[in-house]
Amino acid sequence: MSTTRDHPEYRLPDPNFHRVQLLDVDGGVRPDVDLPAIPDERLLAIYEDMRLARRFDERAVSLQRQGRISTYAPIRGHEAAQVASAHALADDDWCYPTYRDHAAKYVRGMDLATMLKAMAGHGDGYRIDEDVRVMPEFIPIATQIPQAVGAAWAARLRGRDEVTLCYFGDGATSEGDFHEGLNFAGVFDTPTVFFCINNQWAISVPRERQTAAATLAGKAHAYGFQGVQVDGTDPLAVYEVTRLAAEKARDPAAGERRPTLVEAVTYRQGAHSTADDPSTYRDGVPEKWRDRDPLDRYETFLRDAGLLDDERVAAIDARVTEEIDDAVDRAEAARDDPEAMFEHVYAEPTAELERQRAELRRLRERYGDAAFTEGW
C-alpha cells in the first residue's frame, strides 16, 4: 500500500468497496500490498499498548466480578482498532471516546488508575488532566458526534492545526446525532475523523438490523466526503488509514473535503458489558472471527519482521503487569469525601439539596462511614 493519499484503495467511490487490509488472517503481509513506512519504535509501541489493553480488559472484568468496580464494557477484539487509530493522531489532536474506548484513551495519555476510579464510582475519575486531549467518555449513544464536529469547526475558525477524532459503534449510526453530525461536517468542511468501530453488535441487535446499506463507510457519500472501510483487526491498516484521514483533515488537497468516515470492521468477542449475557442472543464467536484475533495476528507479523522474540515479549508482559497492578492499587487507595456528591450540582445549593446533605451528615454521625462501605 502506498503511503500517499493517492492510493486507489484510499479513494473509494463505490459503496460496495473493498476493505483495506495489509495483513492476512495469519499475520503475514498480503502479497498485493506495499507496507507503509511506520518506524519500528511505533510498531512496537502499538504492540505493547495492544497487549496492555488485552491484559487490562481481563483484569477489569475480574475486578467487576469481584464487586471492586461497577459495570464494565469489555474491549476484546477492539485492541487494534482503538490502539492503532489513537497512535495515528498528532499530539495536539482531540479524541472523543465512548464508554468502551479505554485503550484509545490510554494511548492518548489517560492514566489507567483514573479510568478505574471512574468505574469504582469516584467522581474525579472523570476529571482529565489539562494536557490530555481526551474528552470525558460519552455514555448516551452518538451524543459525542455533534460535539466533536463543533469542536473541529471551532478549531478551524480559530486557525488551529487540530484534528478531532470521534469514536462510536455501529449502533450509533442509527441515531439522529450521527446524521446531523456528518451533515454538518460535510457542509462546513470540518477537520473531523469519524471512527466507527463496527463490532457487529449493538448490545443484542446484529449489524444487519442496523441498516440495509452494504457498508457503514458508504454512508459518508451521502454527506459529500470520503468513507473508508478497513480491517479493524489489522493494526497496520488501521494506523495507515487513520493517519491519511488525519492528514487530509489537516491539509486537504485541492478539491478534497476534510472529513472522513472510517469504518473499522471487527467482532465484539465478549459481552456488550458485564451486565449483559450474550448467550441469550448469539452462539459464541464465529470461527472466522476467532481466527482473526488482532493481538495474535500482529505478534506473528512482528516476529516474522524480526522485531519481536520470546525475550522481548516477556519484558513487555512484565511492564504491562506492573503498570496495571500499580493502577489497581492506586485506584483502590482513593478516598472521596461523601459530601462531594452535592458539589457542582447547582451554582447555589437548593433547599432540598441542603436537606439531603444534612441527612447524610446525620447518618454518618450515627452509623459511621464504615457502614456505607460494608461488603466491599
Side-chain angles (χ1 to χ4, degrees), residues 170-171 173-174 198-202 204-216 219 263 267 281-282 286 288-289:
D170 41 301
T173 64
S174 297
N198 172 9
N199 69 12
Q200 315 295 321
W201 291 92
S204 59
V205 179
R207 153 70 175 83
E208 60 268 22
R209 298 294 301 276
Q210 290 293 335
T211 178
T215 69
L216 300 176
K219 292 176 181 289
E263 177 191 1
Y267 196 86
Y281 54 81
R282 71 182 192 192
K288 76 170 187 176
W289 287 106

Side-chain angles (χ1 to χ4, degrees), residues 1-3 7 9 22 29-37 240:
M1 180 179 178
S2 168
T3 59
H7 192 278
E9 282 189 326
L22 303 181
V29 179
R30 288 182 51 183
D32 55 340
V33 298
D34 296 323
L35 288 180
E240 189 63 359

Side-chain angles (χ1 to χ4, degrees), residues 96-102 105 137-139 144 167-169:
Y96 279 63
T98 73
Y99 49 80
R100 197 184 303 281
D101 300 315
H102 324 299
K105 291 191 292 185
E137 65 190 36
F138 290 76
I139 305 297
Q144 74 276 23
Y167 290 102
F168 51 90

Side-chain angles (χ1 to χ4, degrees), residues 233-361:
T233 65
D234 177 347
L236 297 182
V238 170
Y239 178 89
E240 189 63 359
V241 163
T242 310
R243 187 188 69 77
L244 289 168
E247 178 184 316
K248 179 168 66 70
R250 210 180 312 277
D251 184 22
E256 282 188 327
R257 306 294 291 175
R258 294 173 189 268
T260 303
L261 170 59
V262 177
E263 177 191 1
V265 182
T266 184
Y267 196 86
R268 193 191 77 209
Q269 296 187 21
H272 169 71
S273 78
T274 51
D276 168 49
D277 177 7
S279 68
T280 61
Y281 54 81
R282 71 182 192 192
D283 296 323
V285 177
E287 184 175 348
K288 76 170 187 176
W289 287 106
R290 287 200 303 271
D291 292 341
R292 285 174 176 261
D293 185 290
L295 195 55
D296 294 345
R297 197 172 165 197
Y298 190 43
E299 183 170 324
T300 297
F301 163 74
L302 292 175
R303 285 179 181 270
D304 290 347
L307 294 175
L308 207 61
D309 55 24
D310 290 346
E311 184 177 356
R312 182 164 272 178
V313 169
I316 289 172
D317 261 344
R319 286 198 296 272
V320 163
T321 300
E322 181 179 4
E323 184 166 354
I324 294 173
D325 286 348
D326 174 69
V328 172
D329 289 344
R330 287 188 290 119
E332 295 198 320
R335 295 291 180 270
D336 279 344
D337 176 3
E339 292 193 30
M341 75 175 86
F342 299 105
E343 304 296 335
H344 311 301
V345 179
Y346 299 103
E348 297 293 335
T350 64
E352 173 60 18
L353 209 60
E354 291 294 6
R355 186 196 67 75
Q356 293 177 22
R357 190 200 306 266
E359 176 66 7
L360 177 61
R361 286 175 180 165

Side-chain angles (χ1 to χ4, degrees), residues 44-57 72 75 79 82-87 95 97-98 100-116 119 128 131-135 137 167 316 319-324 326-327 330:
L44 288 170
I46 290 172
Y47 173 77
E48 183 158 344
D49 288 344
M50 286 175 61
R51 201 158 188 92
L52 181 140
R54 176 66 57 87
R55 187 66 57 83
F56 177 80
D57 193 56
Y72 171 77
I75 61 174
E79 295 91 343
Q82 290 189 27
V83 170
S85 58
H87 267 279
C95 169
T98 73
R100 197 184 303 281
D101 300 315
H102 324 299
K105 291 191 292 185
Y106 171 78
V107 172
R108 296 297 297 165
M110 276 198 68
D111 179 35
L112 292 178
T114 300
M115 287 187 250
L116 288 169
M119 296 170 196
I128 297 175
D131 60 342
V132 176
R133 296 203 157 200
V134 175
M135 293 297 287
E137 65 190 36
Y167 290 102
I316 289 172
R319 286 198 296 272
V320 163
T321 300
E322 181 179 4
E323 184 166 354
I324 294 173
D326 174 69
R330 287 188 290 119

